[in-house]
Amino acid sequence: MGRGGIGGAVAAADMENSDSTRCFVRDVKRIVIKVGTAVVTGQNGRLAMGRLGALCEQVKELNFQGYEVILVTSGAVGVGRQRLKYRKLINSSFADLQNPQLDLDGKACAAVGQSGLMAIYDTLFSQLDVTSSQLLVTDRDFRDPSFGHQLRETVVSLLDLKVIPVFNENDAISTRKAPYEDSSGIFWDNDSLATLLAKELDADLLIMLSDVEGLFSGPPSDPQSKIIHTYINDKHGKLINFGEKSRVGRGGMQAKVAAAVSAASKGVPAVIASGFVVDSIIKVMRGEKIGTLFHNEANIWDCSKEVTTREMAVAAKDCSRHLQNLSSEERKKILLDIADALEANEDLIVSENEADLAVAQDSGYEKSLVSRMTLKAGRITSLAGSIRAIADMEDPISHTVKKTELAKDLVYEKMYCPLGVLLIIFESRPDALVQIAALAIRSGNGLLLKGGKEAMRSNTILHKVITSVIPDAVGKKLIGLVKSKDEIADLLKLDDVIDLVIPRGSNRLVSQIKAATKIPVLGHADGICHVYIDKSADMEMAKRIVLDAKVDYPAACNAMETLLVHKDLNKTEGLDDLLMELANEGVVIYGGPVAHDTLKVPKVDSFHHEYSSMACTLEFVDDVQSAIDHINRYGSAHTDCIITTDKKSADTFLQQVDSAAVFHNASTRFCDGTRFGLGAEVGISTGRIHARGPVGVDGLLTTRCILRGSGQIVNGDKGVVYTHKDLPLH
C-alpha cells in the first residue's frame, strides 16, 4: 500500500534522520490523525490558529501525495466554553458580575463549540483547495452492529473523493453522566475514539498530536528526563508515573498512552508527537525518529538505541579509567598496534573509502568535499606514521607541573590528568577519526565519535580496525562510534558524563553545537585569517607567503581570507604583481572601501563575508596599528600574520593582535597540530578558556591537586607554619 511522495521518499531521504524502527511508514496509506485540545487551543482558551493552519497544511500535503487522511479532533468543548463565557459575560447584570458563576454545562459547551470548530476547519481547508466533512459519533452508535459497516462505506466514499473526514465525539448528546470522568463504554474520549476508528477503518498508522514531544521517562520539564522513542509495555509500563491531566482536555498523556497501546495491540502502529512542531506529521511520515512509537512488535526489536547514548558515554568513561591505570609503555603499545593494524588493513580501508567516494560523486557532492574524504594508500601510511610519533611522545598522564611544600611534611602537587570523555563531531574527513583516536588514547580519555554520513563506510571500518587491537583490560567501548545524527541531540544533554565537545566542520555546525549543549565546547566558528603587508615588507617574500596562505589549501580554516596592505604600497609594482598572481590562481578579489575606490575591484559587503574559499578581501590601512585594530574588530581570533622587516612593527603586531596564533613572516597555513610538532590535532580552538590554537595531547588534559601530609589538621591554622616553598619536580 506504499505511496510515492513523502513515505516513498524515505529511502532517498537523509538516512541519518530516519530510524530503522520507522521503516514501516513506507507502506502506510491510510492515516488517522488525532489532535488534542491543548494543540487546538492556546493558553487563553481561544483557538490556536497558527497551529491549526500548520496542521491543515500538512494534511493537505499528505492528501495531495495520495495518502488517505482521517482527522479526529478535540477542542469543541473548549471552543464552546470560550464562546459561552463571553455570551454570559455580556448578558450579565451588575449583581451577576459581583458574584460570577462561570461553571458551564459541558454538553452545552460541546453543542456550541462543534459548529464553530468545524467552521474553522472548513475555512482553512477551503483555502488550501481541500474539502472536509464532519462526522459526529457517540459511544451508543457503535453498539449497533450495522453501524460499523455503514461507517466504513461512508468514510471510504469520502476518501475516494479526496475528502478529509473530520471526526469528533458528540459530547452534546453523550449518554455518560460525567463524560469528563466516566471511562466506561466502547470509547470514552477522543483518544480512545481515534483508536477505535483506526481499527474499524483499517488504518495503517495512528498519529496522536499532543502539547509535548512524546512520552518521557519523567516530567518533560525535568532536564534529566529522556524521551522514550519506542514504547515497550513490559519495560516502560510500570516505570512511568503520569502527572496531571491536560490543562484543557479530558485525559492527558496517560489517556494517550492507553489509546496508543490499545491501537498497537490491535495491529495499528501509533506515534505520539508534538502538535506544536509545524512539520511533525511530515517528519513522522518520513520515518524520522520523533515522538514515541507504539508497535506490536516493539518487544522483539533491538531497542537498545534508546539508551545507547548514555550507555555508550558511561562505558567510554569506565574504559578510560582502565586505560589510565595502564603503564605508559602499555598505552604506547596500543598506539603502535593501531598503526600496524591500519597498514595491515590498508586494502580493506581503501576499498570502503572508494565505496563512499562513489556514492558522494553520484550524489553530486562538491569536489573539495570529495577530496577531503579521500584516503589513498599513501595517506594510510602517513596516518600510521603520525600515530607512531604520538606513541613516542612523553607520557602526559600524571606528569607533575608544580610541587610546593606548604608546611613541614605537607607537600602539594599539581598534576596533569585526562579530561574524561570527549565527544568529537566532524565532517567529511575520515582521517580525522584516526588522529583523534590516537590523541585520546595517549591522553587517557574516553572518546565518542560522530563523523559525516558521506564517509560512513570509511569511518566504520577505521573504527573497527582501531578498536580491534584495544586490549580487553581496557575495553573496546573506550571509543564509541555514533552513527545516527539524531543521537547527537541526546549526547549533548549528557553534561554529567561527557566532559568536552569538539566540533570540527562548518561554521554552522560549530555554532549549532555551542547553542545546543551545557557541555564545554572547544573549537572555532569562523576561520577569518588576515595577512598584513607592512610598508617595509620584502615584496618577494610577501608574494610567496600570501600565495601559500591563500592557494595551498583554500578550504582550510587557516587559509587567508583578508589581505591588509599598507597604504604606501597602493599601485606599486610589487603589489600589482602579487594581485596578478592571485588572480592567475583563480582567486576572486573583493575590495574594502579604499581598495574598491582605488583599484575598482568588486566591493565587499562585509568584512565578515562568507564567499567561496577562492575569494579574498583586500583593504588598505594607514599603519600597523590600523591593521591591528581591523583584525581585532573583524577577525575571528584564529590565525593572523604580519609581513615586515621592521622589528618594532612586528613586535607590536605580535603583542596586540588578540588571536590564538599570531605569525611574523610565515604563512598562516603553519597553524596546524602536526606542523607544530603535536603529532596531530583534534581541532583548533579560538576560545580563551582551556586550550587555545591547535589542540594536541596537552589540550585534552586538565589538572588535579595532590596533597601528601603526615596527619596535619587546619584547626583555625593554629600551630601551622606555612613555608610555601617550591620543590624540584623530579
Side-chain angles (χ1 to χ4, degrees), residues 485-650:
K485 183 178 180 180
D486 187 71
E487 290 177 297
I488 295 177
D490 294 334
L491 288 165
L492 293 176
K493 296 176 183 177
L494 301 180
D495 56 303
D496 59 326
V497 184
I498 297 174
D499 300 284
L500 184 67
V501 180
I502 304 178
R504 291 183 53 158
S506 66
N507 298 347
R508 181 182 177 189
L509 170 71
V510 178
S511 299
Q512 286 177 338
I513 297 300
K514 287 183 175 180
T517 186
K518 296 179 181 178
I519 305 170
V521 178
L522 187 150
H524 63 274
D526 293 287
I528 302 175
C529 302
H530 297 74
V531 173
Y532 166 57
I533 305 177
D534 192 33
K535 64 180 179 180
S536 69
D538 179 330
M539 290 307 294
E540 284 301 316
M541 176 193 292
K543 184 188 298 184
R544 294 195 308 273
I545 291 175
V546 169
L547 284 171
D548 183 82
K550 186 61 193 174
V551 178
D552 180 63
Y553 189 0
C557 63
N558 57 12
M560 181 189 73
E561 297 286 337
T562 300
L563 176 62
L564 300 177
V565 180
H566 194 284
K567 64 181 181 180
D568 290 354
L569 299 176
N570 189 4
K571 295 186 177 181
T572 60
E573 182 179 354
L575 180 62
D576 290 344
D577 288 346
L578 188 156
L579 297 179
M580 183 64 70
E581 288 280 358
L582 285 173
N584 290 339
E585 293 290 344
V587 178
V588 179
I589 300 175
Y590 293 84
V594 178
H596 167 70
D597 291 341
T598 59
L599 299 181
K600 306 305 179 185
V601 292
K603 189 174 183 179
V604 69
D605 295 326
S606 167
F607 284 110
H608 266 301
H609 61 276
E610 292 186 3
Y611 301 123
S612 75
S613 59
M614 289 303 291
C616 172
T617 301
L618 168 68
E619 181 59 325
F620 294 102
V621 294
D622 292 338
D623 51 29
V624 66
Q625 190 60 54
S626 298
I628 293 168
D629 293 342
H630 182 104
I631 292 170
N632 287 340
R633 178 179 180 184
Y634 296 110
S636 61
H638 192 293
T639 305
D640 300 291
C641 162
I642 182 173
I643 304 173
T644 184
T645 58
D646 187 308
K647 185 178 183 303
K648 182 178 179 182
S649 294

Side-chain angles (χ1 to χ4, degrees), residues 109 130 140 218 285 289 293 299 313 352 375 486 555 567 589 627 634-635 663 668:
C109 293
V130 174
R140 184 176 55 194
M285 295 308 299
K289 192 170 73 171
L293 170 65
N299 62 319
E352 291 295 283
L375 288 175
D486 187 71
K567 64 181 181 180
I589 300 175
Y634 296 110
F663 297 169
T668 57

Side-chain angles (χ1 to χ4, degrees), residues 60 63-64 124-131 162:
K60 171 246 184 181
N63 190 42
F64 279 23
L124 291 172
F125 278 126
S126 295
Q127 293 293 319
L128 299 169
D129 197 23
V130 174
T131 302
K162 296 288 187 179

